[in-house]
Amino acid sequence: MKIAVITDMEGVAGILNFEEWTQPGAPYYERGKEFATLEANAAIGGFYEANPDLETVVVDGHGPGGIDPWLLDSRAQLSRGWGVYHQFGLDGRFDAVAWVGQHAKSGALLAHLAHTGSCDVLELKLGGVSMGEFGQCAAIAGFYGTPAIFGSGDRAFTLEAEALTPWIRTVAVKRGVNLTDGADCGADAYRRHTPGATHLHPSRARELIRAGAAQALRDFMANRDNYPPLRIEPPFICETRYRAGHKETRRHGSDIVAMYSAPIETDVR
């Protein structure tokens, strides 16, 4: 059995804001990578607890990188630097896909560090459905027939994941406090809109992640029919609305990955 574990940083317990934690040169960036890697290790540990005969590939999905290879569980492989960025190295070789450190989509209420790719994005729709980074990755995995089984991150992310893939097991490690969607904010203002949150202690978060990942894999192995891939019907159309006021559209008739490399149609309002 082979599992892809997609990681990000903004949904990790103890990572407090964008400016100090998530970018190279920031004062706590290396500590943030440590926190993210240890949460990934917790999920990996849970998966191997459920099935010792396993192959795991950690897909570092944070823009500038969020995984410290030296700290990563030695049983896992690390994937980084894909030919097609949005594919995240996913293909038909995986039996299941999981997420660690994932954040909610742009505009989500009670979210922490919510965004979709960047804070410039107001909303993204794939196949007419509003989605964040999780939804897009789950749809790409689903295109190859791979189901989502586990995800950890902030509480708003877990609700988003459960709405798109009701069969997924989730673990919330923090809870945002913003009460508005920030739709009237520009990119810089929105970046400052969602830093408020209540966090679990990182060690407690890892305990819950390990237990949740183990149970998710046990449930999946017990009845795979309960875990359908997330399918978006072709033609594949991705519409991205930006805070600056314009919209970009990409489309492809039959291939969701090729869609992300298709020519951009721009609508300026």
Side-chain angles (χ1 to χ4, degrees), residues 213-236:
Q215 191 59 54
L217 186 53
R218 291 190 189 103
D219 293 345
F220 175 65
M221 292 188 299
N223 194 340
R224 292 196 182 199
D225 290 341
N226 289 340
Y227 293 83
L230 177 62
R231 300 284 194 183
I232 303 295
E233 295 300 321
F236 298 106

Side-chain angles (χ1 to χ4, degrees), residues 131-149:
M131 290 188 182
E133 296 169 23
F134 164 80
Q136 294 176 82
C137 288
I140 290 171
F143 177 73
Y144 293 107
T146 307
I149 65 169

